[in-house]
Each structure stands twice: as structure tokens, then as C-alpha cells.
Amino acid sequence: MVPPMSTLNSLGFDKAPKATRIVVAMSGGVDSSVTAALLAEQGYDVVGITLQLYDHGAAVGRKGACCAGQDIYDAHRVAETIGIPHYVLDYESKFSQSVMDDFADSYLRGETPIPCVRCNQRVKFRDMLATAKDLGADALATGHYVRRVMGADGAELHRAVDDNRDQSYFLFTTTREQLDFLRFPLGGMSKPETRALAERFNLPVASKPDSQDICFVPNGDYASVVSKLRPGAIDAGDIVDKTGKVLGHHEGIIHFTVGQRRGINLSAREGENNEPLYVIRVAAEKKQVVVGPREDLAQLNVSLREINWLGGEVPQDGIDITVKLRSAQPPLPGRFTMKGSELGGGAVLTLHEPAFGVAPGQAGVIYQGDRVLGGGWIERLQA
């Protein structure tokens, strides 16, 4: 049995807040800043940590980024305002190897990567968590909008109260061991409530806009980033239909993702009607972008790899679930079935209704109600 939460401590520790050290991951944004200020106000022994993930100079003055330049400076100003120690750790090399290289290679395989998930998995919730333990912390707190709920078998990961801010999709790789050590104080709040707290605490970032783009991709220009990381790897090729007929040409597969409709440069389609065409497959090995009508995007079965599981035992015949196949799409009902006797062998999602625009490289995140059971990376599409 899991012991009940102590009345001494809002974070679940059986000791007073002043005797509980909490390391807060501070990105320089409003959410993590409020997290630090809120815990400090409650009397916790708070230490702020910011990771420098990429070159300072390239990021100075950029809006909507994190973990570099202005954002590190903002995190330091917040720490001074609330009176907590603050440390900056240089993780440029680790970030480049674990996140940026994977981002580039994924695109070159014809996938659509999610570097924020890889960053949480390989940097923030692994190395930063280890650093927090080295500092004698009882927990690592972040500004993510997600909830940690104690269940019969321990800590569970749940969706945030505010559906519009929920970030559980990006945290599906969180392990049980990590979840034991993590805390998410904002999971029960809305964004307006967080902004109001930032004003009340007089934080210098109270009016700072939210991050929008991937932190190391200026102005959303993925191609320029990949070309720098993998010089000469972005080659032109053909846009074809399912039969292989050439309909047009492209300047690199990186510019396309499954489900895309706009930006497809096609020649005249003689003898055909003018129904819209969508990217239905990116054939990286042939440098081809395959297009077709919307019905060709429909998928009832999706294969997942690298499964991370936070739920209980999975029956051999599977379990009923809902699944998110893109961060901005609503969950879809279906069934989750392991490919073999071990989750490491992957899994198959059987959807009750077809999904459109299922892209390899994105994640399939599994839910039962508000609880995150786990998820995996979309590997290949089945007919």
C-alpha cells in the first residue's frame, strides 16, 4: 500500500517544506518561473537549474525560444526576484548528440520527429534529474501542465485539468522511476491562473509570450537546420502518385509530412479531376513524395516501437484505450495489443474509426480516461 500524503507537505513528503529540497527546471518562461515562485512561497528549499542547450549568440533576441541567451538571463532574474540559488549547466554537447542529431536523421528517414519529447526523455528527465539528486533534492519540479496522481500501485501520470494546456503527449516517455521523483505543481491550473500568479509574484517574465517554435529551429526553418547538421543530405526528387507517375518535383523530402496538403508543387494533371491531393507517404530511399486523395490517408492499424509503459499488465488479447496520434488532435478510441509477449517487441493500435495523416516519427500516446498508460513511436502504417 502507498502511504497517504502527509499533511505537513503539499508534495507528498513526510516532513516540513523547509526541510524538503526541490530543484526546479527553469527555462526562463512563465510556467517554470511560477513553479519556482510558488514552491518558494510555500516554504520549500528551492534551487533553480537552467540548461544551456545550444549556442547563446544564435538565440539572443529570439522570441518564442527556450534554454539559451535571453531565456537564461530571464531565469536568473526570476531566481533573484524570489531569492533562490540558480545554476546554469552547459548541456550543448549532450543536446546536440541526443536531440538535434536524432531530429536531422529522423527527417532524412522520411519521418516527422518530435524533438521536445526526445529532449525530455534524453536530457531533462535523465541528466537533469540525476543532477537534482546530486544536489540532495527530494524532487525535481517542472512547469509542465500534467498531473502526478497517487494510485493503488504508486505514482500515475494524468492529463492536466486544462485540456487546452495539457502536455501529457510530450511526456509519454517518462518512466516509473522518474515519475516517483518528479512533481508538476501547475497540472491543476489554467494558463490564466498561472499568469495571475506571475503578476502577483511580480516576476519579470509575467508578460513574456509562450514558446512557439522548436527551440533550435529559427523561424520554423527545419530545412536550414538539417542542411547544417547533415550537409548535402537534402536532395531534390519527384512527387509521384501511387502508381509511380511523376506529377511534379520537390527540393527535399524534409519539406513534407504525411497528411500535408499545401505546398505541394505539382505539374498539370492531365485527364484527372481536380480533387485535392495529400502527402500519403514519404519514400526517403527513393527521394519521393507520394501523393493521393484524402481517402488514401485513412489508417485503422498503426504499429508502434520503443514502447514505454506506465500502466498495469497488458492481456495478450489487448486492452481498450484511447490514443493521440498528434499532439493537437483529440484522442481516438481503439485497442492496444502487444506484438509479442514483451512490450519491448512493439505494439499495434487497432482504431475503431480510421485516422487521417498518421505520420511515422510522431508518437502514439495511450490513455485510459485521463491517465497516461504509455506510448510509443509510430513506426509504419498498415493497410
Side-chain angles (χ1 to χ4, degrees), residues 11 20-51 67 71-72 75-76 78-79 82-89 124-125 128-129 131-133 135-144 181-186 203:
L11 296 180
T20 308
R21 173 165 288 183
I22 307 297
V23 166
V24 178
M26 299 180 68
S27 67
V30 176
D31 298 329
S32 61
S33 297
V34 168
T35 297
L38 190 63
L39 294 176
E41 182 186 59
Q42 293 173 3
Y44 290 97
D45 176 13
V46 178
V47 177
I49 287 183
T50 301
L51 301 183
C67 306
D71 300 295
I72 293 175
H76 182 69
V78 169
I82 62 180
I84 64 170
H86 175 247
Y87 303 99
V88 178
L89 306 180
K124 292 181 179 177
F125 285 1
M128 182 182 274
L129 191 146
T131 298
K133 290 182 177 180
L135 290 172
D138 295 283
L140 172 67
T142 78
H144 288 102
F181 195 70
L182 288 163
R183 299 295 187 274
F184 309 103
L186 304 188
L203 300 182

Side-chain angles (χ1 to χ4, degrees), residues 27 29-32 142-147 158-171 184 186-195 208-212 324 327-328 367:
S27 67
V30 176
D31 298 329
S32 61
T142 78
H144 288 102
Y145 287 87
V146 68
R147 290 181 296 142
H158 285 242
R159 291 171 56 87
V161 169
D162 185 349
D163 284 339
N164 293 324
R165 300 299 304 181
D166 175 59
Q167 293 173 297
S168 60
Y169 181 88
F170 299 98
L171 300 181
F184 309 103
L186 304 188
M189 299 183 189
S190 67
K191 186 68 177 193
E193 290 173 323
T194 301
R195 289 281 183 189
K208 187 175 182 177
D210 292 337
S211 299
Q212 298 295 330
K324 290 189 71 171
S327 62
Y367 298 84

Side-chain angles (χ1 to χ4, degrees), residues 258-310:
V258 172
Q260 179 177 332
R261 176 183 172 184
R262 297 184 178 180
I264 304 174
N265 181 28
L266 299 179
S267 305
R269 295 157 58 193
E270 298 178 2
E272 299 181 18
N273 58 35
N274 289 319
E275 64 178 333
L277 293 181
Y278 298 78
V279 176
I280 61 174
R281 188 168 66 255
V282 178
E285 68 284 355
K286 298 179 180 179
K287 299 181 175 58
Q288 289 182 340
V289 174
V290 184
V291 298
R294 186 174 185 271
E295 56 263 29
D296 288 345
L297 287 171
Q299 297 290 336
L300 283 171
N301 299 291
V302 181
S303 179
L304 301 180
R305 58 179 170 81
E306 295 182 46
I307 303 296
N308 180 62
W309 196 247
L310 295 170

Side-chain angles (χ1 to χ4, degrees), residues 201-216:
F201 291 131
N202 293 316
L203 300 182
V205 297
S207 60
K208 187 175 182 177
D210 292 337
S211 299
Q212 298 295 330
D213 297 326
I214 296 171
C215 64
F216 59 90

